[in-house]
Amino acid sequence: MPENQNLLYRALPSMSVLLNCITNAGYHADEPWAAPCLSSLADVPRTLLRESVENFLDNCRIAIREGEITDSSLLSLPALLPDLVEYAIRRTSPSLRRVLNATGIIIHTNLGRSRLAEEAVTAVAEAARYPSNLEFDLQKGTRGSRHSHVASLICRMTGAQAALAVNNNAAAVLLVLDTLCRDREVIVSRGELVEIGGNFRIPDVIKKSGCLLREVGTTNRTHLSDFRLALSEHTGAILKVHTSNYRIIGFTQEAGRAELAALANSASLPFIEDLGSGVLVDLAAQGFPHLGAEPAVAKVIADGADIVTFSGDKVLGGPQAGIIAGKLKYIEQIAKNPLLRALRMDKLNLAALEATLRLYLEPTLARTRIPTLRMMTTTADELLPRARKLARLLKKTLPAQKDGWLVAVRSGISQVGGGAFPEMNLPTWLTTMAHPSPHFNPAHLQKMLLQTKPPLLARVEDNALRLDLRTLDDREIPLAAAVLAQTAAPMFKPPCAGASKY
Ligand SMILES: *Cc1c(COP(=O)(O)O)cnc(C)c1O
């Protein structure tokens, strides 16, 4: 081992010194690195901190061995501590964290889909903090059903005779098929045998629920007669599936809902429709004609669907849930399935779902209070001041003449996401960031923003970072501006006099 490497190893501060420094950050409060340390490491369990310091020291030893550190001044306490603090914060932060969504995708499955309305957030906190009548009938003073809290609200919104809510829509589909069609055939149009994402494939769910898939028609065209010819004594149901983020266009044909329902009923079978998103309010009637493209659940039920299923956290704008609504005789059977116990909702999501559904009692309240619906119905004109505000804040901290950053406001397109309204483009306003340096790579900036506190997700297009204000609310704009400025500012040193490469 080279002599100076030996010296370097010995120059490394000890475990106990480093641990002491970062756990007693107050002692170093006058050091610049101590500030983030004080706020971010104060509540971290000591065992986690110790692990972080151990790993950090291991990394230093590797860096010495590999010849990356050759100067002992790099191993002094003041030199190491800022890196150690950053490393420890990164390693010990909770895994599930808040992020800023500047993608313009409203129902972003990877970002937790719908945000809850404040009313729902309050209801969740209350249900979490105190005991509740989750399964207790306060009228009778006896055991009650957790399913009672949302059933009548769902019936009101959909016109269904009865309803049930379970863990998510995948569970809803599984439970419905398992109850009504086990060991029998489920007839589905070939064009609807889709994969929704996250491995939810209709043929697999049918198989898992113990049913036999009977596909009919062709990929692009399926006629009512295809269904009629497939009916037999083995049939359990006719299933229609919303193809979500997938469309067949051109020479197409599908059997109508009312005809399918009539056909199924003539054979005393249920007609089931998996709607995916499920719209509870007529947004076209509220002055948003383009949002009338998806039929409301009430219309689907009025058209004859015996059972519909849809998600709680897509267009409905509530928590993760799967809603099953339809004819009483089927819902009664489903409610008796022992599988329901495994697929039931938890009390926090139930509280959120009830609070969200209550907002629908007043359609305009639903549209303005439920973030998903609010974001869907915000017009581009309303978004322009927000995009300008973000641009203004960015220009203030990243002055163009000093740092060279080009901040602008541009029109663009947002998307609903979650498989709903797949072809709909919502006009929006974006704040864009670019830099004339040949070294500027917006994808690099995009990646660095995943490490900020909180992380920020944005799109990259036309060699610029694009921030869609549709999915950032007013209160998030200063925070977004702060993490953007903090990340962008050090990327390009200000041009030196006479040696500018810009
Ligand atoms: C999203 C979706 C599902 C799955 O719903 P989850 O609530 O995510 O379980 C099932 N079917 C369709 C058509 C969907 O769009």
PDB file of all heavy atoms in Angstrom, residues 274-296:
ATOM      1  N   ASP A 274     -67.005  -2.569 -17.104  1.00  0.00           N
ATOM      2  CA  ASP A 274     -65.876  -1.994 -16.358  1.00  0.00           C
ATOM      3  C   ASP A 274     -65.560  -0.650 -16.992  1.00  0.00           C
ATOM      4  O   ASP A 274     -64.998  -0.581 -18.085  1.00  0.00           O
ATOM      5  CB  ASP A 274     -64.665  -2.936 -16.429  1.00  0.00           C
ATOM      6  CG  ASP A 274     -63.432  -2.304 -15.778  1.00  0.00           C
ATOM      7  OD1 ASP A 274     -63.593  -1.341 -15.008  1.00  0.00           O
ATOM      8  OD2 ASP A 274     -62.312  -2.787 -16.050  1.00  0.00           O
ATOM      9  N   LEU A 275     -65.933   0.414 -16.299  1.00  0.00           N
ATOM     10  CA  LEU A 275     -65.799   1.755 -16.860  1.00  0.00           C
ATOM     11  C   LEU A 275     -64.411   2.354 -16.655  1.00  0.00           C
ATOM     12  O   LEU A 275     -64.082   3.381 -17.244  1.00  0.00           O
ATOM     13  CB  LEU A 275     -66.827   2.696 -16.222  1.00  0.00           C
ATOM     14  CG  LEU A 275     -68.263   2.529 -16.692  1.00  0.00           C
ATOM     15  CD1 LEU A 275     -69.184   3.345 -15.809  1.00  0.00           C
ATOM     16  CD2 LEU A 275     -68.382   2.968 -18.140  1.00  0.00           C
ATOM     17  N   GLY A 276     -63.617   1.769 -15.776  1.00  0.00           N
ATOM     18  CA  GLY A 276     -62.294   2.337 -15.511  1.00  0.00           C
ATOM     19  C   GLY A 276     -62.414   3.604 -14.713  1.00  0.00           C
ATOM     20  O   GLY A 276     -62.423   3.582 -13.485  1.00  0.00           O
ATOM     21  N   SER A 277     -62.545   4.727 -15.407  1.00  0.00           N
ATOM     22  CA  SER A 277     -62.534   6.002 -14.709  1.00  0.00           C
ATOM     23  C   SER A 277     -63.857   6.332 -14.005  1.00  0.00           C
ATOM     24  O   SER A 277     -63.876   6.631 -12.840  1.00  0.00           O
ATOM     25  CB  SER A 277     -62.159   7.121 -15.669  1.00  0.00           C
ATOM     26  OG  SER A 277     -61.132   7.878 -15.105  1.00  0.00           O
ATOM     27  N   GLY A 278     -64.938   6.301 -14.739  1.00  0.00           N
ATOM     28  CA  GLY A 278     -66.199   6.572 -14.064  1.00  0.00           C
ATOM     29  C   GLY A 278     -66.408   8.044 -13.749  1.00  0.00           C
ATOM     30  O   GLY A 278     -65.804   8.584 -12.840  1.00  0.00           O
ATOM     31  N   VAL A 279     -67.271   8.678 -14.526  1.00  0.00           N
ATOM     32  CA  VAL A 279     -67.545  10.106 -14.349  1.00  0.00           C
ATOM     33  C   VAL A 279     -68.873  10.234 -13.611  1.00  0.00           C
ATOM     34  O   VAL A 279     -69.866   9.650 -14.015  1.00  0.00           O
ATOM     35  CB  VAL A 279     -67.636  10.793 -15.734  1.00  0.00           C
ATOM     36  CG1 VAL A 279     -67.979  12.259 -15.592  1.00  0.00           C
ATOM     37  CG2 VAL A 279     -66.335  10.603 -16.500  1.00  0.00           C
ATOM     38  N   LEU A 280     -68.892  10.988 -12.525  1.00  0.00           N
ATOM     39  CA  LEU A 280     -70.114  11.088 -11.715  1.00  0.00           C
ATOM     40  C   LEU A 280     -70.908  12.349 -11.966  1.00  0.00           C
ATOM     41  O   LEU A 280     -72.033  12.484 -11.517  1.00  0.00           O
ATOM     42  CB  LEU A 280     -69.765  11.019 -10.223  1.00  0.00           C
ATOM     43  CG  LEU A 280     -69.354   9.654  -9.667  1.00  0.00           C
ATOM     44  CD1 LEU A 280     -69.266   9.709  -8.163  1.00  0.00           C
ATOM     45  CD2 LEU A 280     -70.339   8.569 -10.094  1.00  0.00           C
ATOM     46  N   VAL A 281     -70.291  13.297 -12.648  1.00  0.00           N
ATOM     47  CA  VAL A 281     -70.977  14.565 -12.817  1.00  0.00           C
ATOM     48  C   VAL A 281     -70.987  14.919 -14.299  1.00  0.00           C
ATOM     49  O   VAL A 281     -70.026  14.629 -15.017  1.00  0.00           O
ATOM     50  CB  VAL A 281     -70.285  15.651 -11.945  1.00  0.00           C
ATOM     51  CG1 VAL A 281     -68.862  15.898 -12.392  1.00  0.00           C
ATOM     52  CG2 VAL A 281     -71.073  16.942 -11.939  1.00  0.00           C
ATOM     53  N   ASP A 282     -72.067  15.511 -14.746  1.00  0.00           N
ATOM     54  CA  ASP A 282     -72.189  15.877 -16.152  1.00  0.00           C
ATOM     55  C   ASP A 282     -71.452  17.194 -16.383  1.00  0.00           C
ATOM     56  O   ASP A 282     -72.001  18.276 -16.184  1.00  0.00           O
ATOM     57  CB  ASP A 282     -73.684  16.010 -16.505  1.00  0.00           C
ATOM     58  CG  ASP A 282     -73.888  16.267 -17.986  1.00  0.00           C
ATOM     59  OD1 ASP A 282     -72.875  16.466 -18.698  1.00  0.00           O
ATOM     60  OD2 ASP A 282     -75.051  16.272 -18.416  1.00  0.00           O
ATOM     61  N   LEU A 283     -70.187  17.092 -16.776  1.00  0.00           N
ATOM     62  CA  LEU A 283     -69.376  18.297 -16.925  1.00  0.00           C
ATOM     63  C   LEU A 283     -69.792  19.101 -18.149  1.00  0.00           C
ATOM     64  O   LEU A 283     -69.641  20.320 -18.179  1.00  0.00           O
ATOM     65  CB  LEU A 283     -67.890  17.935 -16.997  1.00  0.00           C
ATOM     66  CG  LEU A 283     -67.315  17.385 -15.683  1.00  0.00           C
ATOM     67  CD1 LEU A 283     -65.939  16.779 -15.903  1.00  0.00           C
ATOM     68  CD2 LEU A 283     -67.244  18.471 -14.608  1.00  0.00           C
ATOM     69  N   ALA A 284     -70.361  18.425 -19.151  1.00  0.00           N
ATOM     70  CA  ALA A 284     -70.840  19.139 -20.334  1.00  0.00           C
ATOM     71  C   ALA A 284     -71.933  20.119 -19.917  1.00  0.00           C
ATOM     72  O   ALA A 284     -71.968  21.268 -20.358  1.00  0.00           O
ATOM     73  CB  ALA A 284     -71.352  18.154 -21.371  1.00  0.00           C
ATOM     74  N   ALA A 285     -72.811  19.667 -19.011  1.00  0.00           N
ATOM     75  CA  ALA A 285     -73.911  20.513 -18.556  1.00  0.00           C
ATOM     76  C   ALA A 285     -73.400  21.699 -17.734  1.00  0.00           C
ATOM     77  O   ALA A 285     -74.096  22.688 -17.563  1.00  0.00           O
ATOM     78  CB  ALA A 285     -74.892  19.689 -17.715  1.00  0.00           C
ATOM     79  N   GLN A 286     -72.192  21.583 -17.212  1.00  0.00           N
ATOM     80  CA  GLN A 286     -71.624  22.695 -16.432  1.00  0.00           C
ATOM     81  C   GLN A 286     -70.798  23.635 -17.306  1.00  0.00           C
ATOM     82  O   GLN A 286     -70.019  24.438 -16.792  1.00  0.00           O
ATOM     83  CB  GLN A 286     -70.756  22.154 -15.298  1.00  0.00           C
ATOM     84  CG  GLN A 286     -71.552  21.552 -14.164  1.00  0.00           C
ATOM     85  CD  GLN A 286     -70.704  21.445 -12.895  1.00  0.00           C
ATOM     86  OE1 GLN A 286     -70.004  22.372 -12.515  1.00  0.00           O
ATOM     87  NE2 GLN A 286     -70.772  20.300 -12.252  1.00  0.00           N
ATOM     88  N   GLY A 287     -70.937  23.478 -18.618  1.00  0.00           N
ATOM     89  CA  GLY A 287     -70.246  24.415 -19.511  1.00  0.00           C
ATOM     90  C   GLY A 287     -68.906  23.905 -20.009  1.00  0.00           C
ATOM     91  O   GLY A 287     -68.063  24.688 -20.450  1.00  0.00           O
ATOM     92  N   PHE A 288     -68.677  22.596 -19.937  1.00  0.00           N
ATOM     93  CA  PHE A 288     -67.433  22.031 -20.451  1.00  0.00           C
ATOM     94  C   PHE A 288     -67.785  20.921 -21.452  1.00  0.00           C
ATOM     95  O   PHE A 288     -67.620  19.740 -21.154  1.00  0.00           O
ATOM     96  CB  PHE A 288     -66.569  21.500 -19.303  1.00  0.00           C
ATOM     97  CG  PHE A 288     -66.256  22.565 -18.291  1.00  0.00           C
ATOM     98  CD1 PHE A 288     -67.088  22.768 -17.197  1.00  0.00           C
ATOM     99  CD2 PHE A 288     -65.154  23.378 -18.466  1.00  0.00           C
ATOM    100  CE1 PHE A 288     -66.812  23.777 -16.291  1.00  0.00           C
ATOM    101  CE2 PHE A 288     -64.873  24.392 -17.559  1.00  0.00           C
ATOM    102  CZ  PHE A 288     -65.710  24.596 -16.468  1.00  0.00           C
ATOM    103  N   PRO A 289     -68.311  21.324 -22.634  1.00  0.00           N
ATOM    104  CA  PRO A 289     -68.833  20.335 -23.579  1.00  0.00           C
ATOM    105  C   PRO A 289     -67.802  19.270 -23.950  1.00  0.00           C
ATOM    106  O   PRO A 289     -68.145  18.102 -24.140  1.00  0.00           O
ATOM    107  CB  PRO A 289     -69.249  21.169 -24.792  1.00  0.00           C
ATOM    108  CG  PRO A 289     -68.651  22.519 -24.593  1.00  0.00           C
ATOM    109  CD  PRO A 289     -68.438  22.695 -23.134  1.00  0.00           C
ATOM    110  N   HIS A 290     -66.512  19.680 -24.038  1.00  0.00           N
ATOM    111  CA  HIS A 290     -65.494  18.700 -24.443  1.00  0.00           C
ATOM    112  C   HIS A 290     -65.349  17.591 -23.396  1.00  0.00           C
ATOM    113  O   HIS A 290     -64.888  16.504 -23.692  1.00  0.00           O
ATOM    114  CB  HIS A 290     -64.147  19.382 -24.682  1.00  0.00           C
ATOM    115  CG  HIS A 290     -63.659  20.181 -23.508  1.00  0.00           C
ATOM    116  ND1 HIS A 290     -64.328  21.278 -23.020  1.00  0.00           N
ATOM    117  CD2 HIS A 290     -62.580  20.013 -22.720  1.00  0.00           C
ATOM    118  CE1 HIS A 290     -63.664  21.767 -21.992  1.00  0.00           C
ATOM    119  NE2 HIS A 290     -62.611  21.018 -21.777  1.00  0.00           N
ATOM    120  N   LEU A 291     -65.758  17.873 -22.138  1.00  0.00           N
ATOM    121  CA  LEU A 291     -65.639  16.854 -21.099  1.00  0.00           C
ATOM    122  C   LEU A 291     -66.890  15.980 -21.024  1.00  0.00           C
ATOM    123  O   LEU A 291     -67.071  15.216 -20.089  1.00  0.00           O
ATOM    124  CB  LEU A 291     -65.342  17.503 -19.748  1.00  0.00           C
ATOM    125  CG  LEU A 291     -63.955  18.186 -19.687  1.00  0.00           C
ATOM    126  CD1 LEU A 291     -63.775  18.942 -18.394  1.00  0.00           C
ATOM    127  CD2 LEU A 291     -62.829  17.174 -19.852  1.00  0.00           C
ATOM    128  N   GLY A 292     -67.739  16.089 -22.035  1.00  0.00           N
ATOM    129  CA  GLY A 292     -68.905  15.216 -22.112  1.00  0.00           C
ATOM    130  C   GLY A 292     -68.580  13.947 -22.893  1.00  0.00           C
ATOM    131  O   GLY A 292     -69.441  13.089 -23.087  1.00  0.00           O
ATOM    132  N   ALA A 293     -67.304  13.829 -23.334  1.00  0.00           N
ATOM    133  CA  ALA A 293     -66.916  12.699 -24.189  1.00  0.00           C
ATOM    134  C   ALA A 293     -67.070  11.357 -23.494  1.00  0.00           C
ATOM    135  O   ALA A 293     -67.347  10.353 -24.140  1.00  0.00           O
ATOM    136  CB  ALA A 293     -65.471  12.880 -24.669  1.00  0.00           C
ATOM    137  N   GLU A 294     -66.860  11.334 -22.179  1.00  0.00           N
ATOM    138  CA  GLU A 294     -67.060  10.075 -21.448  1.00  0.00           C
ATOM    139  C   GLU A 294     -68.472  10.107 -20.864  1.00  0.00           C
ATOM    140  O   GLU A 294     -68.862  11.096 -20.242  1.00  0.00           O
ATOM    141  CB  GLU A 294     -66.079   9.978 -20.264  1.00  0.00           C
ATOM    142  CG  GLU A 294     -64.630   9.988 -20.660  1.00  0.00           C
ATOM    143  CD  GLU A 294     -64.034   8.600 -20.797  1.00  0.00           C
ATOM    144  OE1 GLU A 294     -64.720   7.620 -20.469  1.00  0.00           O
ATOM    145  OE2 GLU A 294     -62.882   8.521 -21.244  1.00  0.00           O
ATOM    146  N   PRO A 295     -69.246   9.028 -21.041  1.00  0.00           N
ATOM    147  CA  PRO A 295     -70.598   9.038 -20.474  1.00  0.00           C
ATOM    148  C   PRO A 295     -70.529   8.986 -18.948  1.00  0.00           C
ATOM    149  O   PRO A 295     -69.663   8.316 -18.390  1.00  0.00           O
ATOM    150  CB  PRO A 295     -71.217   7.753 -21.032  1.00  0.00           C
ATOM    151  CG  PRO A 295     -70.057   6.855 -21.308  1.00  0.00           C
ATOM    152  CD  PRO A 295     -68.904   7.747 -21.669  1.00  0.00           C
ATOM    153  N   ALA A 296     -71.436   9.711 -18.303  1.00  0.00           N
ATOM    154  CA  ALA A 296     -71.497   9.639 -16.843  1.00  0.00           C
ATOM    155  C   ALA A 296     -71.986   8.247 -16.444  1.00  0.00           C
ATOM    156  O   ALA A 296     -72.702   7.587 -17.206  1.00  0.00           O
ATOM    157  CB  ALA A 296     -72.432  10.715 -16.312  1.00  0.00           C
TER     158      ALA A 296
END
